[in-house]
Amino acid sequence: MKTSNRLTLYIFLAMFAGALIGYIVYTNSSSDFIKSFSDNTKLLTTIFLRLVQMIIAPLVFSTLVVGIAKLGDLKTVGRVGGKALLWFISASLASLLLGMLLVNLSKPGAGLNLTSVNVSGVKDIAGNTREFTLQHFVEHVFPISVINAMAENQILQIVVFSIFFGVATAALGDYGKIVVKALDAVSHVILKMVDYVMKFAPFGVFGAIAAVIATNGLSIFSFYLKYFTFFLLGIALLWIVLIMVGYIVLRKRLPGLLKYIVQPLVIAFSTTSSEAVFPRLTEQLEEFGCQDKIVAFVLPLGYSFNLDGSMMYMTFASIAIAQAYGIQLDLGTQLTMLFVLMLTSKGMAGVPRASLVVVLATCGMFKIPPEGVALILPIDHFCDMFRSMTNVLGNALATSVVSKWEKALE
């Protein structure tokens, strides 16, 4: 059995074992033991995610600079970047509109009783929000210090610095080749580290699943059945749209791509973090046949601009909360909300519980009681599983499609 297939099998086994042990603890233990078990087991996930996060900044910087330098002149960079942004914007709009359409048809928030909702969990999220202004948006995009951006894993800020650095390196000619060669070696070292870190993935998956099942039990899957069911329907429709468009471009190569990204999809689903699979996804896309320079340029951009699952969820959740409070939003207001979400969502990948942070801020802007976010907290972990997995699919397709457009798909 190939090493990658063996690791995928171990991850599935870890998911099953985590669910089984978590349920045994949930049904046979005191509340104090459950809390202690959950807190301690989640440390496995914390270790795995931290190991991944420690290599994201150097990987994004080194691969993106090398990718831009190898692309050559600014004209080539602009052409590839333009094609990538065309896909990102189109996919983002489709995701946001799908979420808006589905929530208006299903009305999951209608008739809900919010008087019994526990709002204590919202306080932690509220601490991460601030009112959306153009100034805050610009500050979030452009780094005041690349060291600080790397320390906080602010992917969008790292991307901005790397683009400037890469273009400047390419412009230096022979002098720049020394830097490119050094960073190319660094990127290969980091990718080798990825292999070592991924061996810990089953433990991280086990910890995540066991902790949440031990705390909430299997019955958590039935909470807010209508909301969760229609959200899953939206995710399924989004997958159909993305795969259909991907097939139009990739044709017979599409099944092969899906086979290569099974492992990253499973890890993102289990850990609720699309960021956790960034290094592995880089490797898998290169193995699939995408040229390294395209992967190095498009994939980091996708993690800032192309979070399709999260964007569909944000419109769905924001309007559902408004429905729960009996607030009628006309079409113009909803479209304005869609535009705001398109802007505020960019670069949110490094923010904990990022989708909820953006939803909370958006509710405040449109006079929707932000306490309504507490309504969706009990099932947000499970929604996050599916939206994280969808983010990975969207970015894999975007990178592959741009590679095909550039005739750089082997």
Side-chain angles (χ1 to χ4, degrees), residues 63-64 66-89 163 167 290-302 305 397-409:
T63 56
L64 187 53
V66 172
I68 291 173
K70 286 183 176 180
L71 284 174
D73 54 29
L74 274 175
K75 183 178 179 181
T76 306
V77 173
R79 187 184 69 244
V80 176
K83 290 176 180 178
L85 288 176
L86 174 63
W87 175 278
F88 296 160
I89 293 172
I163 289 173
V167 170
C290 299
Q291 284 189 8
D292 55 355
K293 62 182 181 181
I294 301 294
V295 176
F297 183 64
V298 176
L299 193 58
L301 289 176
F305 290 98
L397 283 171
T399 306
S400 302
V401 166
V402 173
S403 296
K404 181 69 179 292
W405 284 340
E406 282 293 302
K407 296 180 174 58
L409 186 60

Side-chain angles (χ1 to χ4, degrees), residues 2 7 11 21 28 168 179 194 208 245 260-261 290 317 356 389 397:
K2 290 175 61 177
L7 181 59
I11 289 168
I21 293 175
N28 296 283
V179 177
V194 171
V245 177
Y260 270 95
I261 64 172
C290 299
L356 287 183
M389 187 167 60
L397 283 171

Side-chain angles (χ1 to χ4, degrees), residues 153-166:
N153 267 342
Q154 293 288 342
I155 292 181
L156 187 53
Q157 294 186 3
I158 297 171
V159 165
V160 170
F161 177 82
S162 300
I163 289 173
F164 277 95
F165 194 98

Side-chain angles (χ1 to χ4, degrees), residues 41 116 132-133 145 223 275 327 383 404:
T41 307
S116 60
F132 174 77
T133 65
S145 163
F223 281 10
E275 187 182 68
I327 298 172
C383 292
K404 181 69 179 292

Side-chain angles (χ1 to χ4, degrees), residues 124-237:
D124 294 334
I125 305 170
N128 290 322
T129 65
R130 56 180 179 174
E131 183 182 356
F132 174 77
T133 65
L134 183 60
Q135 178 181 342
H136 290 159
F137 178 70
V138 169
E139 289 173 354
H140 185 68
V141 173
F142 298 97
I144 192 172
S145 163
V146 68
I147 304 300
N148 182 67
M150 288 186 172
E152 296 181 357
N153 267 342
Q154 293 288 342
I155 292 181
L156 187 53
Q157 294 186 3
I158 297 171
V159 165
V160 170
F161 177 82
S162 300
I163 289 173
F164 277 95
F165 194 98
V167 170
T169 302
L172 286 177
D174 290 339
Y175 285 109
K177 289 180 181 178
I178 301 171
V179 177
V180 172
K181 188 174 181 179
L183 288 177
D184 196 20
V186 169
S187 68
H188 281 86
V189 172
I190 299 295
L191 288 173
K192 189 61 180 176
M193 289 175 64
V194 171
D195 290 336
Y196 301 146
V197 170
M198 282 301 130
K199 293 183 186 302
F200 198 80
F203 297 99
V205 168
F206 171 83
I209 297 296
V212 74
I213 296 298
T215 303
N216 301 294
L218 297 176
S219 59
I220 187 70
F221 287 102
S222 64
F223 281 10
Y224 305 108
L225 183 59
K226 185 177 181 181
Y227 179 93
F228 194 52
T229 300
F230 279 100
F231 165 72
L232 292 183
L233 175 61
I235 288 291
L237 291 174

